Each structure stands twice: as structure tokens, then as C-alpha cells.
Amino acid sequence: MENEKKIIYSAMQPSGVPSLGNYLGALRNWKNLQNEYNCVYGIANMHALTVRQDPAALRKRTRDLVALFMALGIDHEKNILYVQSDVSAHAELAWILNCFTYMGELSRMTQFKDKSAKHADNINAGLFTYPVLMAGDILLYRADLVPVGEDQRQHLEISRDIAERFNNIYGDVFKVPDAYIAKVGARITGLQEPTKKMSKSESDNDNNVIFILDDLNLIANKIKRAVTDSEAEVRYDSINKPGVSNLLNIYSTIIGKTPEDSAVEFEGMGYGDFKKRVAEAVVEEIRPIQEKFKQISADKAFVDKVMKDGAEKAAYIANKTLRKVKKKVGYPN
Ligand code: TYM
């Protein structure tokens, strides 16, 4: 990472198999950014602990996510792919940043409000300080840009606030990061509940979420069962036609057009045929990823090696930032 390219940082929780939302809103862009930037991509398994996890399942999903990143075409040599808990600087910086973050600003986070409503029996302090750990992730690598979906915008804003606050006291320690949110695909919604985001940790309604390792026939069927409306016109109007607009969003992100432009292709077409076209596009996009994933994840030694090398490369950069921070705040060593 000695060249002049800007730095990209992003991460994903291993809290379930990634959804089509994760793929279109984040992962697909991660791959496309790897030539132009120096990219660091993390598996945010420490964040995942904020809700109860089965340890064996969490371990497996963490390793599988490394394999999936590679299956998507993210090059493990060109970029840094690593697991958050393998780099202790994350925990160390999070504590320090906790002391520069206010309860008031954390309590305004919509994700905290949503998650504490959903997990009312386990509103732990980690859930509350989750954005601080996330700010630390980004700041450790001096990221310029953070490619995320729309739902993470607020967390990016608080990361910037924390960085600026720290810099105002101690001088220019952190790079203040910018969110990098794609124009299309940044908010994919549920197929059955098209006004809410599609989420990988959701399991209430199986037809609502496409998981990218779902059987391809199942993916097509989920799309065919997607909620639409009582009109018979394929038109982009996310307020009045959220179901159809979400399908248009999915389709357009894959083919690289705006949803308004791709709606033209479907003029005069019924919803059945429209859904068929969307399903075909999704299935053809996902098929090669699944094939590659099968191959890569079967080679456990290789995935372990990638994790180990990634952790070393990540720790080297992260520790440099952490050393500077420790000195600034007055740790003796
Ligand atoms: P996570 O694991 O929930 O989601 C990973 C990425 O997927 C995006 N995303 C979506 N995009 C479009 N439509 C959707 N329905 C959709 N659902 C999810 C998210 O915006 C995200 O980009 N806190 C983060 C993980 C994290 C992180 C970080 C991200 C930890 N540290 C540092 C960036 C930088 C999270 O829970 O993402």
C-alpha cells in the first residue's frame, strides 16, 4: 500500500449468508473498486456479537464470507481481506473512541433504535456503542472512502464527527472519511415487504430475502412471488409502486442502467414476464459466484492462509495508527 492510490475501507458482518441487498448495495461495488483504489475489506465479526450467535455457526460463516469475497472476484493479493477479531487494534481503538463519543449522539442512531426494538431481551452496551467500533475500523486504515449501502450513512456521519472531534483536540491524527454510496442499488428492499430494507439477518418470512447462496430455482421463485401492486404497468415510482420499483432497482443495478431507463424495456409487458426477466438477470449474475464459492470454500487450508496473511497486512497498518493515537492520549507506551 505504498502507492498514491486512495484508500477504501468497508466491512460486512458475518451475521448470515449475504442477501441480494448486501451484494447489490455493497459487495458488487467492492469488486469494481479494486483496480482504482487500495482496498481493505473486513469481516466484522466483533460487530456480529452484538446479537446472540451460535459460536460454531459464527466461525463457519466468518470463514465462508472470506471465501465468498474471493468468489466474487475480490483479489486477496491485491486487496487486504481480513477478519476484524484477528486484529486487536480494533478493540483497543474502540475503547479510546468510546471516550470521545457522546451518549446523546449514539442514542440518535436509527439502527440502534431498530435493533433494540427487535432484540428487546438483549439491549447490550455493545449494541449501543456499535458505531464507535465501526468508526475505529475505518479510522485505523486512514480510509478516504467507505463504500456502503444507504442504511450505513448515519454511521458514516458519526464516524466523521468522532474523527473531527479527536483531530480538534490532538491535531491531524485521523483521515476524515467520506461515505461512498452508489446511485443505484444502495437500498434494496424486501420482496414481500418492499418498504423495508432487505436484510440478511431476517428469517421471519423466507420469501422476503434472497440469500446469495440460495438454490438458483429458489431465487427465481422468490422473485416470481414478489409483492407488486394492482396496476399492470412497469414504472419506476418508489412511493406508489414500491414492489415493482424494487424489482426495477435490482434489475438495473445488475445491468448497469438507471431504473427509469430500464423501465422502458418493460413497457407494455405484464408483471409475470417482467418478473421472469428480473429472475433471469439475478440468476445469471449469481450462478458463477456460487460455482466459484463451492470451489474456494472447499479448500479450507487456502482460506485459512488468506485469513492469516490478511490479518498480518491489516495489523501492520492498523497498529501504525493505533500507536499514534496511544501517544496522543497519553498512554506511556
Ligand atoms: P452489514 O453487514 O449489515 O451490511 C453490509 C453492507 O451491505 C449493505 N446493505 C445493503 N445495501 C443495499 N440494500 C440493502 N438492503 C442492504 N442491506 C445491507 C450495507 O449498507 C453495508 O454496506 N456496520 C456494518 C459493517 C461494518 C462496516 C464497518 C461497514 C462494520 N465496520 C466499517 C463499513 C465500514 C454492517 O452492519 O453492515
Side-chain angles (χ1 to χ4, degrees), residues 9-15 19-27 30 44 47 84 111 115 130 133-135 137-138 146-152 155-156 185-189 197-200:
Y9 183 91
S10 202
M12 180 167 289
Q13 294 190 68
S15 49
S19 71
L20 188 65
N22 293 133
Y23 174 68
L24 296 178
L27 293 172
W30 294 8
H47 281 97
Q84 188 184 30
Q111 186 171 304
K115 285 211 174 163
Y130 179 113
L133 180 61
M134 178 163 161
D137 297 345
I138 300 165
V146 184
V148 283
E150 191 57 55
D151 63 321
Q152 296 297 321
H155 289 161
L156 256 294
R187 187 170 183 275
I188 301 300
T189 59
K197 86 165 178 180
M198 184 185 279
S199 158
K200 63 171 144 21

Side-chain angles (χ1 to χ4, degrees), residues 11 18 79 84 90 97 111 115 117 129 148 163 168 179 195 198 203 205 219 221 223 246 258 265 267 298 314-315 322:
N79 310 287
Q84 188 184 30
H90 288 275
L97 297 182
Q111 186 171 304
K115 285 211 174 163
T129 61
V148 283
N168 281 337
T195 54
M198 184 185 279
S203 56
N205 183 339
I219 293 181
N221 281 329
I223 294 174
N246 188 41
T258 66
E265 281 182 42
E267 259 171 33
L322 182 66

Side-chain angles (χ1 to χ4, degrees), residues 19-21 23-24 28 188 191 198 210-212 214-216 218-223 246-255 274-290:
S19 71
L20 188 65
Y23 174 68
L24 296 178
R28 198 168 187 267
I188 301 300
L191 297 177
M198 184 185 279
I210 291 176
F211 297 101
I212 69 172
D214 275 348
D215 179 81
L216 295 174
L218 180 62
I219 293 181
N221 281 329
K222 286 182 179 180
I223 294 174
N246 188 41
L247 292 175
L248 272 173
N249 251 329
I250 291 172
Y251 181 78
S252 331
T253 313
I254 292 173
I255 67 161
F274 166 55
K275 286 176 171 178
K276 224 166 128 194
R277 290 272 290 276
V278 177
E280 274 162 18
V282 173
V283 164
E284 290 322 313
E285 176 82 8
I286 300 297
R287 188 194 304 279
I289 299 171
Q290 291 193 353

